[in-house]
Amino acid sequence: MRNRRLMLSAAVIAAGVGLVPGMAQADEPGAGSDAHGVSAPAADAALGKAAASNFDTFTSAAERTVRPAAKGGAPAQGAASVEPTVGLTAKGTSARGISLGLTIDIDPDAQVAAIVDWGDGSSDLLETYGPADLAAPHSYAEIGAYTIKVTLRDATGDRGTNTVAVVTPGSDFTPYAPTRLLDTRNGTGGPMTKVPAYGTTRVKISGDGGIPTGVTAVVLNVTATNTTSGGHVTVWPAGSERPTTSNVNFAKGQTVPNLVIVPVDTNGFVNLYNGGWESVDLIADITGYFTRTSSSGYTPVHPARFADTRNGTALGQVRGQSTFGVRFAGRDAIPYGTTAVALNVTVTNPREAGHLTVFPGGSTAPTTSNVNFRAGQTVANSVIVPVGPDGTVNFRNGSWGDTDVIVDVVGYYHVDSQGAYLPFVPERLLDTRDSSDWAWGPLGGQGYIYMPLSTQYPANTAYVLNTTVTNTRGEGYLTVAPDPNSLSAYKGGWDTWPTAPNSSNLNWKRNETVPNLVQAGMGNNGIVDFWNRGWDDIDLVVDIFGVYQTN
């Protein structure tokens, strides 16, 4: 056994390695090492770099300054040789944060106060002697659209006003009844034909059915099926460059799903790319979307097991073609009024091939799927699913044979939750196969890598990651959880060996490549652990797709 505790350095976090963890692209790893990693200084600009596309700039020129009217309706005349004006430039800085720049033009010896009305009932007062460029930051309690009004005032009274309309960068979540948007097998949402090798199809999101325009990101369960070679699927917003990351990895003959949270382009579309050597059928099911209007925010919880049919926390193996429900709202850390839950759902010991469908309690099972499995296989997938009016979620075994089902909860969406989503251009954080950025080789059995993500992506409540395990030497499972140690404890050498939670994020057997989306809470220290719960070496690839922020 080689217990290893490795640190992902800041230099690796900031890097974007151009490798795709697909079956065909996987490099042969080097020999494993028991060496510890060394921390590098944090790159404070990483968040701005990653999220720059979300930080819109809003302007209102100084010429738009409106002077107050005198009696009779004419503009008021002052004694100043320069009539005061203020130009406004506002830019998003975080999910709820706006930085306002004011360019004030007045007489060199004049004094003026600038009263900033943020549009949410709060205001700030800035003062200057003579012309000046001033800045004021603000964080809104709720995401959405606001009008900022700036009033210039001197000893004679109000001298002019200007306004600028802004929208906060972050987005809130709206659950959506599981619905199939794309199925190339039957022509749903596009042509009834396989996506060719290295070809792309696109899915309409905004304006499809009850989905509104203005969607910033969407939650899709993407499935590759009828595969005749190995490959991968990349999902990204239409109209932008395809990233060097992947979302679904598959081998010949496999049917593989994976949850994806992906930005939506301004025209309402996302792209799906087949990175395999041969054509493949692709399926996309929606369970929710994000918009820049106040709805449900996200709260992570420490991964907790809510159901396990193997040990009596549910009613034994789930019979073929049958359904069981699990109550979430009002249980443990999940409050009443929860609109959706973030889960990791695992199928194990299935007697026949089939699929599992997860859907809100009190509703009819949709024609969608969340987990696809073969007889005897253990397979997991992340699920974000609306909660029924009674606070429950249903799980239907679409196979004709019995199976065990395990349900771990990692977070929930609620109108009172403050975590707003900020999507990124996808970036690669780690690839243990790439010796140029990772010197310690594969992750050993029963070891873990700890990532101090808050040093790179500050003020977050959770991270949206895609984890991929490849070059597996045996069977095992991956657990992702917050680390109880602080970064100073690791640097000082007084850290303690964490206890991995009783949950799993993905499962593998020898020679498999398995991906899964992870919504990882930051815990108290902003460090996330990635545990190899098997006894043999694995290669680990981690991509980041966005964060949830409370400010």
Side-chain angles (χ1 to χ4, degrees):
M1 180 178 72
R2 297 191 299 134
N3 281 339
R4 292 195 295 157
R5 176 168 54 212
L6 299 176
M7 178 178 181
L8 180 67
S9 72
V12 174
I13 293 176
V17 180
L19 297 178
V20 177
M23 295 292 290
Q25 291 78 15
D27 294 331
E28 288 296 324
S33 169
D34 290 331
H36 283 62
V38 179
S39 175
D44 295 333
L47 178 61
K49 170 181 174 290
S53 61
N54 304 291
F55 293 155
D56 298 328
T57 299
F58 311 90
T59 61
S60 183
E63 291 77 12
R64 295 188 58 191
T65 302
V66 178
R67 295 171 54 205
K71 292 182 179 180
Q77 299 295 323
S81 59
V82 177
E83 292 296 336
T85 62
V86 56
L88 305 177
T89 301
K91 186 176 179 63
T93 57
S94 64
R96 289 182 170 82
I98 293 289
S99 177
L100 178 67
L102 302 83
T103 300
I104 298 175
D105 188 18
I106 54 176
D107 279 337
D109 57 351
Q111 179 181 0
V112 69
I115 303 167
V116 182
D117 179 348
W118 294 103
D120 62 353
S122 64
S123 61
D124 284 319
L125 175 65
L126 307 172
E127 294 183 319
T128 181
Y129 291 88
D133 289 322
L134 306 177
H138 187 67
S139 183
Y140 289 96
E142 298 291 341
I143 66 165
Y146 297 89
T147 298
I148 301 173
K149 179 181 179 181
V150 176
T151 301
L152 300 180
R153 183 174 296 166
D154 63 13
T156 66
D158 291 351
R159 300 302 307 276
T161 61
N162 200 353
T163 60
V164 61
V166 301
V167 182
T168 54
S171 301
D172 269 1
F173 179 73
T174 299
Y176 195 82
T179 304
R180 184 145 293 173
L181 299 184
L182 174 73
D183 191 338
T184 61
R185 300 171 304 176
N186 59 23
T188 298
M192 189 174 67
T193 182
K194 282 186 168 185
V195 181
Y198 312 115
T200 299
T201 188
R202 67 177 189 170
V203 182
K204 182 173 177 56
I205 306 298
S206 299
D208 190 337
I211 307 169
T213 59
V215 169
T216 57
V218 63
V219 178
L220 297 174
N221 196 69
V222 176
T223 303
T225 190
N226 295 326
T227 57
T228 54
S229 71
H232 66 274
V233 178
T234 297
V235 187
W236 81 102
S240 62
E241 183 178 355
R242 174 168 53 87
T244 58
T245 55
S246 65
N247 300 93
V248 182
N249 297 75
F250 55 86
K252 180 180 179 179
Q254 283 188 327
T255 295
V256 182
N258 196 17
L259 194 69
V260 176
I261 301 178
V262 58
V264 178
D265 82 337
T266 55
N267 295 317
F269 288 89
V270 299
N271 288 336
L272 283 74
Y273 168 77
N274 171 21
W277 292 337
E278 299 183 33
S279 61
V280 66
D281 277 312
L282 296 179
I283 303 166
D285 302 324
I286 184 175
T287 61
Y289 56 84
F290 294 86
T291 58
R292 292 185 181 183
T293 53
S294 183
S295 184
S296 294
Y298 182 69
T299 298
V301 300
H302 197 75
R305 185 143 291 174
F306 267 49
D308 189 339
T309 61
R310 303 170 302 174
N311 62 19
T313 55
L315 302 177
Q317 275 206 316
V318 185
R319 301 290 299 272
Q321 302 295 308
S322 67
T323 300
F324 76 99
V326 176
R327 183 171 65 85
F328 289 93
R331 176 181 171 187
D332 296 343
I334 314 300
Y336 290 106
T338 290
T339 59
V341 286
L343 310 172
N344 200 73
V345 179
T346 304
V347 169
T348 190
N349 304 319
R351 299 183 180 181
E352 295 184 20
H355 65 274
L356 190 77
T357 298
V358 186
F359 60 101
S363 62
T364 303
T367 58
T368 58
S369 64
N370 298 90
V371 184
N372 297 75
F373 50 87
R374 305 183 302 271
Q377 186 183 23
T378 296
V379 59
N381 196 19
S382 289
V383 175
I384 296 176
V385 58
V387 174
D390 60 352
T392 67
V393 172
N394 287 338
F395 301 81
R396 183 179 186 275
N397 176 13
S399 169
W400 293 103
D402 299 352
T403 187
D404 282 309
V405 177
I406 305 165
V407 180
D408 299 323
V409 63
V410 298
Y412 63 88
Y413 296 87
H414 194 282
V415 293
D416 292 333
S417 295
Q418 294 299 302
Y421 185 57
L422 190 65
F424 290 171
V425 175
E427 289 187 302
R428 179 138 298 167
L429 299 183
L430 168 70
D431 189 337
T432 62
R433 303 168 303 177
D434 185 7
S435 60
S436 65
D437 279 317
W438 178 257
W440 300 278
L443 174 59
Q446 302 301 312
Y448 72 98
I449 294 173
Y450 63 98
M451 295 189 183
L453 290 176
S454 64
T455 64
Q456 299 292 319
Y457 306 96
N460 304 324
T461 184
Y463 310 95
V464 177
L465 310 169
N466 200 71
T467 57
T468 303
V469 169
T470 190
N471 296 326
T472 56
R473 282 70 162 173
E475 64 180 29
Y477 64 97
L478 187 79
T479 296
V480 183
D483 192 311
N485 295 296
S486 66
L487 188 56
S488 60
Y490 277 116
K491 290 181 176 180
W494 45 273
D495 55 282
T496 59
W497 191 270
T499 299
N502 182 30
S503 62
S504 64
N505 294 91
L506 58 85
N507 302 71
W508 67 83
K509 290 187 177 181
R510 181 179 173 86
N511 294 327
E512 287 188 333
T513 295
V514 182
N516 200 10
L517 181 129
V518 177
Q519 298 208 130
M522 68 178 291
N524 295 324
N525 299 303
I527 301 175
V528 178
D529 292 339
F530 297 78
W531 290 85
N532 175 5
R533 306 303 301 277
W535 294 103
D536 301 284
D537 286 3
I538 62 170
D539 276 309
L540 177 64
V541 181
V542 181
D543 301 320
I544 188 167
F545 289 85
V547 297
Y548 291 95
Q549 291 187 327
T550 58
N551 63 350

